[in-house]
Amino acid sequence: MSAAGSLLAVVPAAAVLLLTVAAMPREAGAVAPLRLAVVRAALLSGAYAVLVVEVLGASHALTRPAFAVAWLLFLIAAATAAGLRWRRATHLGQQPVAALAVSAASLTVPVGAGASGGGTDVAAPVAERDEPAPAPPRAGRRPAGLLAAAVDAWRTARPGERLLAGTVGGLVLVELLVALLAEPNNFDSQTYHLPKVEHWVAQGDLDFWPTAIHRQVTIPPGAEYLLLHLRLLTGSDHLYNLVQWAAGVVCLLVAARITAQLGGGRRAQLLTAFVLATTPMVVLQATSTQTDLICAAWVACAATLVLDGLRRRTGWGTLLGLGAATGLTAVTKTSGLIAVGPLLVLWGLAQLRLARAKGTTSSDPAAAGEGRRSWPVGGLARTVGGSVLILVVAAVVVGPFLARVTAEFGHPLGPPRLRESIPMERHDPASIVVNALRIGHTAFDTPLAPLRRAGAEVIISGAEAIGVDPQDRAITFGRESFPEPAWYPDEDRVAFPLAGALAMIGAVIALARPRRIAPERAGSLRAYAVVVLTAVLLHTAMIKWQPWGNRLLLYAVVLAVPLAGLWLDALLRNRAGGRRTVATVAAATVLATSALAGVLALSYGFPRRLVGAGSVFTTSDWDTRFLRRPQWADEFRWAATAVQDSGARRIGLVQQNDNWEYPWWLLLRQPDGSSPDLVALQSVLPERPPADPSSVDAIVCTGNRAACAKLVPAGWRLEFRGYVGYALPPGR
């Protein structure tokens, strides 16, 4: 990465920081205002990044200068907004730094004091409706700055709280180190995530291209849009892992804020962040170029904005935020909408109830005395209009991509092979139950093989007893076979038994006895638990079981962990005498085990680890990229060297649906660093015919030698070594 690229990469980060200052809430009583500002800044920056790609792509201007100008303009706008916010705060007699400090110290707020102020607890029909109004957050001492606030919070924290915070901070910092040191080496990224980016750079637009790997054009590209910014600004992929790392930080901050919104004090928020930060799937994906943490971050942003809407009417800014969160989720990973949908329903019910609460007819004393309420036309129209605005904003963000997919395949969800491979094709109750049990078995897997086998045998026997084939292709992805071990710390499939079990217990108690966890937020807590449970049930009814399905559930884990934090805090708070000692020991044991799991995942996880074979400290950059398939590293270099030595300019690609394409884009770049001229000799897009093999100067192949040989023109020399091959015409 060049010096200019490093400077340009700082611009988006600086813009987001300034935007966070500008987005500090002005309303009194906002929960964790600094974290709310982070949510607002993340959503605005994410939506801007997506729209910049769409606009410049439509203009055939996906170039470094265009992106640099776009971000400089955004930086200027963010700086202006931050300056105006500062000036306004100063004019009102406030000190913006002190305000930030108070919000940073908001973790000291006691239980029940950390929810949005004003109004009645409006949740869903399951919510309890006679709760007291929340007290405003207590600012206490006003330190001069954020550092002083952090020091003050640390000084007043209990030893256990310091340990929780220190562990979370340590994990985040070490993950940052790994993210910076490790080259992108996720399997799917080599196949389609990163080749997408290279095709856009080579074309200068977002038009689809002939390809044998349909996922390069059919899977939503929101995460890759963010990578494209880094690719064009820096000229390399060295900072790619930082996108998921930043998403992980957002997930931690938002999960802690959700805990505060549901009545949790400092300890509950730290417990939530601790459980989430030590979940192996989160640890491993935070240094990856996968997309699941990014999706989870957008879903979590939607959730925290929805919870703000349970007690007060939603303003236009929050409506825009909800629309952005919905659109960003849809353009990143459509499975996240499984949670966003119920969240928006909860928001709509809450807003309608707030409107009705203001509709008591003062003109009819008898009716008012009886507590009868009417539906004011203005309040109803405002809710309907807000719902429409959310959908419109979401459509602006995801609409261009859906339009391209519809134009190409005649359906907004892509070709039949995509619509039938991941979604459930059977929805009878028996099939859904079997699918849910298999997903649960994989999600809660442990290193205890006898337990895994026993559970799988029970599920398989039960499925056969109710007439469902446990390997039915209609409820099982591809040719995979249940069961599949998922305990090993691998970024694509590692299970989350501890976080899942804690969240499940917390959800059950939140549904049955919410006042035991959050006395002043029982209604909101129960409603939120219903939404989380609904999302999980919908996921199991809509998504087929697959060995790497745990990562698809990551958005649900992030939403559910606040329930675990609240329950653990109540467990430690509500016991007395010997029962308290037992509860403390049990909780400490669980948390220590969770910490051990997180540390082991960071130390020995795959395919990026700190120690052992494949360590980021001892493995070369090139070999790090191939830790999934070490034997391919030399094979790709061997073929690329032969093609480059031949002087070939236009190079044909032969590959199958799950083959690695990205190494060719790295190895075959032009001497000036520009993209190679790579064209596909196969295409699964009916309207995008492949290139004629006779029109290229060389051919590179991956996977099947026979498939490659069929496309090599007569008289060409074909060489193959294991997984990789190349073909050259006579005389080269």
Side-chain angles (χ1 to χ4, degrees):
M1 183 171 60
S2 65
S6 300
L7 291 175
L8 286 175
V10 173
V11 174
V16 173
L17 289 176
L18 288 169
L19 197 58
T20 301
V21 175
M24 284 293 294
R26 299 173 182 175
E27 62 271 18
V31 183
L34 180 56
R35 280 171 272 171
L36 177 57
V38 170
V39 169
R40 293 172 173 176
L43 290 173
L44 181 56
S45 301
Y48 179 78
V50 169
L51 293 177
V52 163
V53 172
E54 291 290 357
V55 171
L56 294 181
S59 306
H60 305 281
L62 297 181
T63 64
R64 187 180 194 181
F67 274 66
V69 169
W71 277 109
L72 288 172
L73 291 175
F74 191 69
L75 177 64
I76 293 171
T80 302
L84 292 174
R85 177 73 176 89
W86 187 286
R87 183 177 304 174
R88 183 179 185 277
T90 304
H91 177 71
L92 294 177
Q94 303 172 356
Q95 292 296 326
V97 174
L100 286 173
V102 170
S103 91
S106 63
L107 286 174
T108 62
V109 175
V111 174
S116 54
T120 307
D121 187 3
V122 180
V126 296
E128 299 177 37
R129 303 180 179 182
D130 55 349
E131 301 175 4
R138 295 182 299 182
R141 297 175 61 186
R142 288 178 174 258
L146 288 174
L147 180 59
V151 171
D152 186 63
W154 183 266
R155 181 180 57 81
T156 59
R158 299 184 179 93
E161 294 171 344
R162 294 180 182 178
L163 182 60
L164 293 172
T167 302
V168 173
L171 285 172
V172 169
L173 290 176
V174 177
E175 288 163 5
L176 174 60
L177 176 65
V178 175
L180 289 170
L181 292 178
E183 302 299 317
N185 60 1
N186 173 262
F187 194 103
D188 284 348
S189 296
Q190 307 282 5
T191 300
Y192 68 96
H193 289 310
L194 304 189
K196 276 185 190 181
V197 177
E198 295 302 323
H199 278 285
W200 294 331
V201 173
Q203 297 176 173
D205 58 40
L206 300 174
D207 289 346
F208 291 161
W209 53 89
T211 178
I213 304 173
H214 76 87
R215 292 175 294 174
Q216 291 183 358
V217 296
T218 57
I219 299 292
E224 292 87 346
Y225 281 175
L226 303 181
L227 298 181
L228 176 62
H229 286 267
L230 291 176
R231 170 67 174 85
L232 288 172
L233 292 176
T234 68
S236 71
D237 61 8
H238 293 323
L239 300 182
Y240 279 5
N241 293 332
L242 293 185
V243 175
Q244 280 256 116
W245 177 83
V249 172
V250 170
C251 286
L252 293 176
L253 294 174
V254 178
R257 183 173 192 264
I258 289 173
T259 305
Q261 290 173 289
L262 296 175
R266 176 168 63 186
R267 184 173 61 186
Q269 295 171 52
L270 288 172
L271 285 167
T272 295
F274 181 90
V275 172
L276 186 60
T278 56
T279 300
M281 179 67 77
V282 175
V283 171
L284 293 168
Q285 287 229 4
T287 62
S288 171
T289 48
Q290 262 296 5
T291 62
D292 305 284
L293 263 181
I294 299 172
C295 173
W298 300 137
V299 173
C301 287
T304 195
L305 294 181
V306 164
L307 288 177
D308 278 340
L310 300 190
R311 290 178 171 271
R312 62 175 59 186
R313 297 308 301 272
T314 299
W316 294 111
T318 302
L319 290 174
L320 294 174
L322 284 170
T326 303
L328 288 168
T329 301
V331 81
T332 301
K333 212 174 191 73
T334 52
S335 57
L337 295 176
I338 295 173
V340 173
L343 284 167
L344 291 180
V345 170
L346 174 62
W347 171 84
L349 292 174
Q351 292 295 294
L352 287 173
R353 185 164 176 260
L354 281 170
R356 190 181 183 192
K358 294 184 178 180
T360 303
T361 54
S362 58
S363 59
D364 185 351
E370 294 173 5
R372 292 205 301 263
R373 303 176 189 272
S374 63
W375 290 93
V377 175
L380 184 62
R382 179 177 173 179
T383 302
V384 173
S387 303
V388 172
L389 178 61
I390 291 172
L391 296 178
V392 169
V393 173
V396 169
V397 175
V398 72
F401 168 70
L402 294 181
R404 289 194 298 275
V405 173
T406 303
E408 189 74 29
F409 301 104
H411 195 286
L413 297 181
R417 65 185 301 175
L418 178 64
R419 302 198 304 270
E420 297 169 2
S421 61
I422 298 177
M424 287 274 285
E425 297 177 79
R426 289 180 57 178
H427 296 92
D428 56 286
S431 296
I432 293 175
V433 168
V434 171
N435 193 56
L437 290 174
R438 295 183 306 164
I439 289 176
H441 180 274
T442 304
F444 288 87
D445 190 25
T446 70
L448 303 175
L451 181 62
R452 180 190 313 117
R453 287 194 296 268
E457 289 172 2
V458 170
I459 293 173
I460 291 173
S461 299
E464 293 172 347
I466 60 177
V468 177
D469 178 4
Q471 314 299 347
D472 186 354
R473 297 302 100 190
I475 61 173
T476 304
F477 179 85
R479 300 179 182 178
E480 306 301 325
S481 179
F482 174 83
E484 183 74 22
W487 65 268
Y488 185 78
D490 183 298
E491 67 174 352
D492 285 337
R493 64 178 67 197
V494 63
F496 34 82
L498 286 175
L502 292 173
M504 186 169 63
I505 295 171
V508 170
I509 297 178
L511 290 171
R513 303 288 296 276
R515 291 191 181 276
R516 292 184 59 181
I517 298 179
E520 297 182 6
R521 295 290 181 273
S524 297
L525 177 61
R526 178 177 285 166
Y528 183 78
V530 168
V531 168
V532 172
L533 178 62
T534 300
V536 172
L537 293 177
L538 287 174
H539 185 101
T540 60
M542 299 173 66
I543 306 295
K544 294 178 178 177
W545 175 87
Q546 48 192 284
W548 45 88
N550 287 341
R551 65 181 181 82
L552 302 182
L553 271 170
L554 192 54
Y555 72 89
V557 174
V558 173
L559 290 184
V561 164
L563 301 176
L566 288 163
W567 172 69
L568 285 170
D569 181 63
L571 183 69
L572 297 173
R573 184 180 69 244
N574 296 333
R575 303 302 182 190
R579 296 176 64 189
R580 181 183 180 89
T581 301
V582 172
T584 301
V585 171
T589 302
V590 171
L591 293 174
T593 306
S594 182
L596 178 62
V599 171
L600 288 176
L602 187 57
S603 301
Y604 295 97
F606 198 72
R608 290 165 304 281
R609 56 178 49 167
L610 292 173
V611 297
S615 166
V616 294
F617 296 115
T618 60
T619 308
S620 69
D621 293 348
W622 184 252
D623 289 336
T624 298
R625 297 179 184 274
F626 287 86
L627 285 176
R628 286 282 187 190
R629 299 291 187 272
Q631 67 276 19
W632 294 351
D634 290 338
E635 294 175 7
F636 270 99
R637 270 184 165 165
W638 161 76
T641 299
V643 170
Q644 287 178 321
D645 290 345
S646 73
R649 303 290 296 176
R650 181 175 166 87
I651 303 165
L653 282 173
V654 178
Q655 55 197 359
Q656 287 76 57
N657 185 56
D658 206 31
N659 289 174
W660 285 19
E661 179 182 314
Y662 186 58
W664 298 126
W665 290 97
L666 297 175
L667 290 167
L668 298 174
R669 281 188 181 176
Q670 303 295 338
D672 62 357
S674 59
S675 299
D677 186 7
L678 292 175
V679 295
L681 302 185
Q682 310 140 289
S683 179
V684 294
L685 278 65
E687 304 300 323
R688 310 276 175 174
D692 188 334
S694 63
S695 69
V696 300
D697 304 322
I699 296 174
V700 291
C701 310
T702 51
N704 190 295
R705 179 188 179 113
C708 183
K710 291 179 181 178
L711 292 169
V712 173
W716 283 39
R717 174 170 57 92
L718 174 61
E719 300 284 345
F720 233 89
R721 182 182 292 179
Y723 177 77
V724 178
Y726 69 90
L728 295 173
R732 284 187 180 268

